[in-house]
Amino acid sequence: MSVPLFDPTSPLGPLRAELRSAVHRVLDAGQFILGPEVEAFEREWAAYLGVRQAIGVANGTEAITIALRALGVGPGDEVVVPSFTFWASAEAIPPTGATPVFCDVDPDTMCVTAATVKAALTPRTKAVIAVHLFGNVAPVREIEALGVPVLEDAAQAAGSVSADGRPGALGTIATFSFYPSKNLGAFGDGGAITTDDAALAERVRTLRFHGSADKVDYVDVGYNSRLDELQAAVLRVQLPFLDRWAAARAAAGDRYAAALAGLVTLPQATPGSRPAWHLYVVRHPEPDRLMTALAGQGIGARGYYRTPVHEQPPMAPYAPAYALPGTAEAARTHLAIPMSAALSDAQVDTVVAAIRDADVPAR
Ligand SMILES: Cc1ncc(COP(=O)(O)O)c(C=O)c1O
């Protein structure tokens, strides 16, 4: 049996009729930008997360830039961001005029900690981007206790939970991506910004709409960055299923963890969290050898961030003078193995057997 690395389409099988009628509803309404579907999704997404405000935007990258701008981030400011993350977490900073300052991660959780953030703070730090990487939940409250506002990059963590609440409801402001392969995925690009702060939410609404309320008078130089009606309608059909899908991801992670100890280094959920694993990412001293061996058995596996963001050439102007040992370790050793809301016990067992058969020594 071959097992794909991820499978965003199987969970949608039972929803096809509902998805079709949602698309028809939008066609019939004939309103495609900022209409009733977006408004309803914003309400439903805020209610799901337990946060006061949700604002739909065009994608998870612009969500970060706009959220930073709403926080007042601009030229001369620094924004702390992990280097072990998807490129966009840091790419979204320079368009504000601010400087990315890279911090380390704990390779066991692959998330930032209060200590790694603290080491990167300076008097110019205006915000910290805490990435809930792979669905794990970064310790947002501990970081905000350092006295800096946290922007949660929750692109990979829809459906996860922590003792303090859901990602997206933990920091000053948070951003999501609804890229199709995400835990909650649209049929194209999409994103959202969430916050409890009404004034911040108002600034976000203005910034996503060209810096205007009406496209007649302008209060800011903003963006054209809206979630569209079709994507909102599609997301509304899926949202009631997100918790079920999250539970399936978490359960598949538990099954991996019980069977893979000793064969690979397991990802550790942060204290008090129950990650809806977006990707299940193990560590191994020879991840690419293991990946090749798994490919030979029809098992998808991939190292996503082999070169950390601060070592990518366009980030050279922002490269730190200090070492990031946790980042280096995670970048060198990580390997994503199959994970999806539709991953069956039999598929998990097939992957586990393939890792055992690959016989690439774990140390
Ligand atoms: C951690 C992280 N941040 C930001 C993004 C950017 O989201 P988008 O692709 O919707 O722009 C993604 C995903 O693509 C991501 O995984």
Side-chain angles (χ1 to χ4, degrees), residues 64-311:
I64 298 171
T65 303
I66 291 171
L68 289 173
R69 289 273 316 273
L71 285 171
V73 170
D77 295 329
E78 294 178 354
V79 176
V80 174
V81 65
S83 176
F84 189 70
T85 179
F86 177 55
W87 169 254
S89 306
E91 179 193 30
I93 300 168
T96 67
T99 302
V101 173
F102 290 101
C103 74
D104 212 357
V105 294
D106 173 352
D108 287 331
T109 63
M110 314 232 186
C111 287
V112 298
T113 67
T116 66
V117 167
K118 194 173 177 195
L121 295 180
T122 79
R124 285 158 57 151
T125 308
K126 186 88 173 189
V128 173
I129 298 179
V131 183
H132 299 304
L133 200 66
F134 304 139
N136 213 350
V137 187
V140 173
R141 296 272 155 89
E142 286 175 39
I143 298 167
E144 286 213 322
L146 298 171
V148 279
V150 168
L151 182 163
E152 302 172 67
D153 179 349
Q156 300 186 3
S160 295
V161 285
S162 82
D164 297 323
R166 291 189 182 281
L170 306 175
T172 298
I173 198 162
T175 60
F176 288 89
S177 164
F178 302 122
Y179 184 80
S181 64
K182 294 290 193 271
N183 291 0
L184 181 67
F187 290 178
D189 279 311
I193 297 171
T194 56
T195 181
D196 272 334
D197 183 326
L200 266 182
E202 199 43 48
R203 280 206 288 283
V204 167
R205 285 187 194 283
T206 305
L207 283 167
R208 78 168 169 182
F209 197 67
H210 301 284
S212 175
D214 53 11
K215 285 207 274 184
V216 176
D217 294 310
Y218 297 84
V219 295
D220 215 335
V221 174
Y223 306 83
N224 174 5
S225 187
R226 284 101 45 146
L227 183 68
D228 66 65
E229 286 285 285
L230 270 173
Q231 303 309 338
V234 159
L235 290 166
R236 291 183 68 204
V237 173
Q238 295 180 62
L239 182 52
F241 296 85
L242 178 57
D243 276 345
R244 197 174 309 167
W245 294 339
R249 289 175 180 275
D254 290 344
R255 196 170 178 92
Y256 273 138
L260 286 177
L263 292 171
V264 295
T265 304
L266 299 168
Q268 300 299 313
T270 52
S273 74
R274 179 86 172 139
W277 298 112
H278 171 57
L279 296 168
Y280 195 79
V281 180
V282 302
R283 284 183 290 145
H284 190 280
E286 296 195 66
D288 293 330
R289 239 181 98 194
L290 181 56
M291 178 178 72
T292 305
L294 291 176
Q297 300 185 67
I299 308 296
R302 187 174 154 193
Y304 274 84
Y305 312 133
R306 203 59 83 214
T307 303
V309 174
H310 75 280
E311 290 179 10

Side-chain angles (χ1 to χ4, degrees), residues 35-67:
E37 299 290 340
V38 170
E39 273 172 32
F41 175 70
E42 289 178 342
R43 270 196 312 277
E44 290 159 10
W45 187 229
Y48 172 84
L49 296 173
V51 72
R52 290 203 183 95
Q53 303 271 348
I55 304 103
V57 294
N59 57 67
T61 307
E62 289 180 352
I64 298 171
T65 303
I66 291 171

